[in-house]
Amino acid sequence: ETLSFPDEVRVFRERVSCSPKMIICGGGHVSMPVIAIGKMVGFQVTVLEDRPGFADCARKEGADREICAPYEKALEEEKLDEDTYVVIVTRGHRYDSACLYSVLDRKEECAYVGMMGSRRRTAIVKEQMIQMGISQEKVGKVYTPIGLAIGAETPEEIAVSILGEIIEVKNKKQAKGEFRKHLEGKKFLPGVFKQQNHIDEIKGVYV
């Protein structure tokens, strides 16, 4: 039996996924505007903080969840996946290291891991990760210093730079498109595949 197809098939697709999750390690001054802006742009925000007073500030700022516990213990309980964005903005080098190791020493990989600090400080922490057995590849994916280079100075400006970087990473990830991946390796009769904004147009059909 011979099958016939129309000359042109147009496919409309929309990516459906869970709301992206943001885990903020640290409940200090920078975390507050990160919470606010993160909620504003659609993230489910969880704040991890080992000081009760600062954890309460995160609750008042509007975080969906705030966990008051040692960072390592709190991160062990968190589910990490490709829709998780981790922001490490703790109060010190030791806590940064603990958080980063807890995140990187997992089989699951996050969409984004960023750590605040000077280039020197973050370089030291990353070198520690390698010495502790984390692969160079994983360490190399950490965004340090965190945020876009916009000359941010105040906590609010730093938060804007952090969310700008996260949004950029998230949207580039989504732009790749699961549908495009599905079409890779397929044969087309006849024609080409091209993407125009949110419309994937296929001239011909794949088999």
Side-chain angles (χ1 to χ4, degrees), residues 25-46:
C25 300
H29 297 304
V30 172
S31 299
M32 298 303 108
V34 172
I35 294 169
I37 301 174
K39 291 290 299 173
M40 190 184 302
V41 297
F43 283 88
Q44 293 289 322
V45 179
T46 296

Side-chain angles (χ1 to χ4, degrees), residues 30-95:
V30 172
S31 299
M32 298 303 108
V34 172
I35 294 169
I37 301 174
K39 291 290 299 173
M40 190 184 302
V41 297
F43 283 88
Q44 293 289 322
V45 179
T46 296
V47 177
L48 312 181
E49 173 56 62
D50 61 353
R51 298 167 293 177
F54 286 83
D56 190 53
C57 288
R59 178 187 62 80
K60 293 177 180 177
E61 192 63 40
D64 295 287
R65 297 167 62 232
E66 56 284 333
I67 300 172
C68 187
Y71 292 114
E72 300 97 317
K73 178 176 173 52
L75 283 165
E76 284 177 6
E77 302 297 323
E78 289 299 306
K79 180 182 178 182
L80 306 180
D81 56 32
E82 61 182 6
D83 286 317
T84 303
Y85 297 75
V86 179
V87 176
I88 301 175
V89 285
T90 74
R91 63 186 182 277
H93 172 91
R94 178 163 63 93
Y95 302 102

Side-chain angles (χ1 to χ4, degrees), residues 136-184:
Q136 179 72 56
E137 180 184 5
K138 273 192 170 184
V139 173
K141 293 179 181 178
V142 178
Y143 287 79
T144 59
I146 196 170
L148 298 176
I150 60 173
E153 295 182 357
T154 67
E156 292 77 14
E157 290 175 348
I158 294 170
V160 168
S161 75
I162 291 172
L163 266 298
E165 185 171 67
I166 288 174
I167 291 169
E168 181 180 48
V169 171
K170 178 176 69 70
N171 289 348
K172 283 182 178 179
K173 175 176 175 286
Q174 291 180 352
K176 293 179 181 178
E178 297 301 322
F179 188 71
R180 179 181 289 273
K181 290 181 181 179
H182 176 67
L183 294 178
E184 289 178 356

Side-chain angles (χ1 to χ4, degrees), residues 117-147:
S118 65
R119 293 188 183 279
R120 179 178 178 277
R121 174 180 162 185
T122 55
I124 290 172
V125 173
K126 291 169 80 170
E127 182 59 34
Q128 288 177 340
M129 295 301 104
I130 294 172
Q131 293 174 1
M132 295 168 70
I134 304 299
S135 70
Q136 179 72 56
E137 180 184 5
K138 273 192 170 184
V139 173
K141 293 179 181 178
V142 178
Y143 287 79
T144 59
I146 196 170

Side-chain angles (χ1 to χ4, degrees), residues 105-122:
D105 193 40
R106 297 269 291 265
K107 181 175 68 174
E108 307 86 356
E109 290 198 19
C110 301
Y112 172 95
V113 180
M115 182 172 63
M116 191 170 71
S118 65
R119 293 188 183 279
R120 179 178 178 277
R121 174 180 162 185
T122 55

